[in-house]
Amino acid sequence: MLPPIRVAITGAAGNIGYSLLWRIADGSCFGPDQPVILHLLEVPGALERLEGVVMEVVDSAMPLVQGIVATDNARTAFDGVNQAFLVGSRPRGPGMNRSDLVAANGPIFVGQGQALNEVAASDVRVIVVGNPCNTNCLIAQRNARDIPPERFTAMMRLDHNRAAGQLAQRAGVPVSQVSGVAIWGNHADTMYPDVTRATVGGVAATERFEQEWLRGAFLDTVATRGAAIIKARGASSAASAASAAVDHMHDWWFGTNGGVVSMALPSRGQYGVPEGLVFSFPCRVGSGGAVEVIEGWPVDAFCQSKIDQNVAALLAEREAVADLV
Ligand code: NAX
C-alpha cells in the first residue's frame, strides 16, 4: 500500500458529492492501491447532512479510506490536501442570469483560493466543478498566488464525455471506439465540441457523419444536455458529473497515454486565447502529470468563430469579477 493522499471535496453533502465520494473511495480515481484521507467541506447549514454522508462512507467499509475530516472551515478542509475537488457553490436560482451567478459564487472562490494557498500540500492539484466553473477557477487561482497556475483546472470533461456519447450512439458502437474529441471554451452553451480529429470505430468522424448533423443537432444536443437532463429527471446531472470529475482527475494523475482530453486551464496565449483566461483546449497529460495543450490543432473558420465567441463570454465574466481577481 502507498502512503495516503489527502483529497478535498467541497459541497460534499450535495448531489454530485454523493456520487463522487464513493468513486474516490473505491479507487476509481487514484487507483486501487492508493489510500485516501477524505477532507469534506460544507456550509454550516449542511453539516448535519454531511454527517449522514460520513456515516454512510463509514458503513461502506471502504478499505482505501484511512480517515475522514468533515468541516465547515476551509482552512481545516484544505490542510495538507494533495487533490481538491471544488464542487460546492450556489445553484442558479429562479430569475438569475449567468452574471448574477458569477457575482453570487465568486466570493466563495476567493476564500477557498486563499485557504488553498495557505494550507494545501505543495503538490496540490485543483479541479473546479461548481459553476460558472471556468471563472470560479480563475478566481481561486488568482487568490492562490503561491500555487503555480497550471495546478488549477475547470471541468469540461462532462461536455467531452457527452460529445463522445453522442457520436457513439449515432454510430451504434461502444463509446470505447470513440477518440480524439475535443471541447473548446467555456462550460456553457457556447462551448464547442470539435470532431476534426475524432475517430469513431477507426473512421474519421467527419467522414462518418454528415456535416449538417455535426454542426447542427450534435452541437445543440451536447450544448444543451444539462437542461435536457433537468427537464427529464427533474434534477441536474449528478452521477455523470461526478464520473466526469473522476475521469478528469484520474487522467491528470495517471496520464492519457497520448490520448486527447478536454481540460480548462489558465491560457498561456495558445490559439490566441488571452493569457490567464481559464479556457478549455484539446490536451494531453504526460506521465508525471504535466498537462500539455496540443499544438497545431487544425482550426478552421467555424472553430475560430466558436473560440472567439467563448473568449468574448469569458472576458465578460472576468470583467464582472474584476474586483475578485
Ligand atoms: P447541490 O446544490 O446538490 O450541492 C452543492 C453543495 O455545495 C450543497 O450541499 C451546498 O451546501 C454546498 N455548498 C454551497 N456553498 C458552499 C461553500 N461555500 N463551501 C462548501 N460547500 C458549499 O449541487 P450539485 O448538483 O452537487 O452541483 C454542484 C455544482 O456543480 C453546481 O455549481 C453545478 O452548477 C455544478 N455543475 C458543474 C458541471 C460542470 O460540468 N462543470 C456539471 C454538473 C453541475 O451542474
Side-chain angles (χ1 to χ4, degrees):
M1 274 287 182
L2 299 163
I5 55 170
R6 293 180 182 272
V7 182
I9 299 145
T10 73
N15 287 311
I16 294 175
Y18 195 66
S19 290
L20 184 56
L21 276 176
W22 273 264
R23 296 289 304 282
I24 292 170
D26 73 5
S28 304
C29 195
F30 303 111
D33 303 321
Q34 179 57 66
V36 291
I37 298 173
L38 300 172
H39 286 231
L40 312 179
L41 179 67
E42 259 299 348
V43 291
L47 279 182
E48 193 177 347
R49 214 156 19 100
L50 183 61
E51 203 182 306
V53 172
V54 170
M55 288 183 213
E56 281 206 76
V57 174
V58 172
D59 294 351
S60 301
M62 316 285 278
L64 292 176
V65 177
Q66 293 203 352
I68 305 176
V69 176
T71 177
D72 61 359
N73 181 296
R75 272 166 190 74
T76 310
F78 295 144
D79 195 10
V81 300
N82 312 97
Q83 304 279 322
F85 293 74
L86 307 190
V87 180
S89 64
R90 258 186 71 179
R92 193 190 299 209
M96 267 174 111
N97 61 29
R98 207 170 165 83
S99 52
D100 296 331
L101 190 68
V102 172
N105 281 324
I108 295 175
F109 292 86
V110 171
Q112 294 188 356
Q114 290 169 349
L116 282 163
N117 198 50
E118 283 171 31
V119 297
S122 59
D123 64 351
V124 68
R125 290 178 186 173
V126 181
I127 178 176
V128 179
V129 175
N131 278 323
C133 62
N134 300 58
T135 295
N136 289 340
C137 180
L138 173 77
I139 296 169
Q141 183 263 313
R142 290 291 183 88
N143 282 280
R145 299 277 171 185
D146 304 322
I147 301 176
E150 63 271 18
R151 304 276 190 75
F152 283 84
T153 60
M155 184 167 94
M156 303 297 292
R157 189 57 174 266
L158 183 55
D159 308 290
H160 179 108
N161 288 351
R162 284 170 173 165
Q166 288 304 306
L167 296 176
Q169 260 203 334
R170 179 90 169 172
V173 300
V175 75
S176 56
Q177 291 189 21
V178 177
S179 64
V181 173
I183 307 288
W184 295 89
N186 192 9
H187 174 68
D189 55 12
T190 50
M191 55 88 200
Y192 176 48
D194 183 351
V195 301
T196 319
R197 287 190 169 175
T199 59
V200 180
V203 179
T206 48
E207 283 172 28
R208 188 152 191 160
F209 308 110
E210 327 77 71
Q211 204 184 65
E212 194 192 344
W213 180 75
L214 286 172
R215 292 198 172 169
F218 167 70
L219 274 192
D220 292 345
T221 303
V222 176
T224 59
R225 191 68 161 180
I229 286 168
I230 292 175
K231 187 162 177 277
R233 210 173 81 86
S236 63
S237 327
S240 57
S243 195
V246 166
D247 288 346
H248 177 121
M249 294 304 259
H250 171 278
D251 287 353
W252 197 356
W253 185 254
F254 288 104
T256 60
N257 201 16
V260 180
V261 288
S262 307
M263 295 168 78
L265 70 175
S267 169
R268 289 201 186 148
Q270 297 99 329
Y271 296 94
V273 175
E275 206 150 322
L277 279 192
V278 175
F279 199 89
S280 181
F281 297 100
C283 295
R284 280 192 202 99
V285 186
S287 56
V291 181
E292 169 207 350
V293 173
I294 297 173
E295 285 177 20
W297 192 276
V299 174
D300 60 18
F302 187 74
C303 180
Q304 188 61 55
S305 71
K306 294 289 183 185
I307 292 176
D308 295 345
Q309 201 183 350
N310 280 282
V311 165
L314 284 168
L315 284 174
E317 287 184 21
R318 184 165 78 181
E319 190 55 39
V321 297
D323 54 330
L324 305 180
V325 300

